[in-house]
Amino acid sequence: MTDRLMDPDDPRPVYLRIADELRRAYQPGVQLPSVPKVSEEWGVARETVRSAIDVLRNEGLIVSWQGRGTFYRSRPADDTSESGIPTNPVVLQQLDAIMNRLDTFEARLTAIESARHR
């Protein structure tokens, strides 16, 4: 448990203090610890941890996938250049994969259309 969570002079609810701790640990693409693990480490109810995670989700800092976990996202300012072109390596990799699939589909469609016109 961190000292910040037990600070008697901090009037904020514990879930907001946990959200701050999770925010400080922010690293794009890194998986957050599980709710039960955070709950046990900090000695709070799971619902308190879920509330902290909801704060980060509402801020757009994390994303969750069923069965995969909860991960820190890239901050919006890190995702694109001023021109609006993505700069985040993960986003660029995903766009590259999408473009490759589109090229494959386009080649297949062209082959099908050519076969029809013969």
Side-chain angles (χ1 to χ4, degrees), residues 26-30 72-75 78 88:
Y26 179 88
Q27 293 181 22
V30 172
Y72 289 107
R73 299 183 58 192
S74 296
R75 289 193 166 110
D78 295 340
N88 180 299

Side-chain angles (χ1 to χ4, degrees), residues 6-25:
M6 299 310 293
D7 182 358
D9 295 327
D10 191 340
R12 296 174 305 142
V14 173
Y15 78 94
L16 290 178
R17 291 185 256 166
I18 292 172
D20 282 348
E21 288 297 315
L22 292 172
R23 210 178 284 110
R24 278 191 251 299

Side-chain angles (χ1 to χ4, degrees), residues 8 17 19 40 43 45 86 92 99-101 103 117:
R17 291 185 256 166
E40 182 180 320
L92 290 174
M99 292 304 296
N100 287 335
R101 290 189 71 185
D103 288 343
H117 293 107

Side-chain angles (χ1 to χ4, degrees), residues 3 18 51 57-58 65 78 84 93 110:
D3 291 337
I18 292 172
S51 294
R57 184 176 292 111
N58 290 336
W65 289 285
D78 295 340
Q93 185 179 21
T110 300

Side-chain angles (χ1 to χ4, degrees), residues 27-89:
Q27 293 181 22
V30 172
Q31 185 172 7
L32 275 71
S34 68
V35 170
K37 183 175 180 174
V38 174
S39 175
E40 182 180 320
E41 283 179 11
W42 290 339
V44 296
R46 290 179 182 189
E47 207 48 49
T48 302
V49 175
R50 286 187 191 100
S51 294
I53 289 173
D54 284 344
V55 169
L56 299 179
R57 184 176 292 111
N58 290 336
E59 292 173 0
L61 293 177
I62 62 170
V63 62
S64 301
W65 289 285
Q66 180 92 23
R68 289 183 55 201
T70 302
F71 297 83
Y72 289 107
R73 299 183 58 192
S74 296
R75 289 193 166 110
D78 295 340
D79 283 348
T80 57
S81 67
E82 288 181 16
S83 65
I85 298 171
T87 57
N88 180 299

Side-chain angles (χ1 to χ4, degrees), residues 100-118:
N100 287 335
R101 290 189 71 185
L102 284 173
D103 288 343
T104 301
F105 289 131
E106 185 177 9
R108 287 180 179 175
L109 181 59
T110 300
I112 291 169
E113 288 175 345
S114 294
R116 281 189 187 166
H117 293 107
R118 288 186 195 168

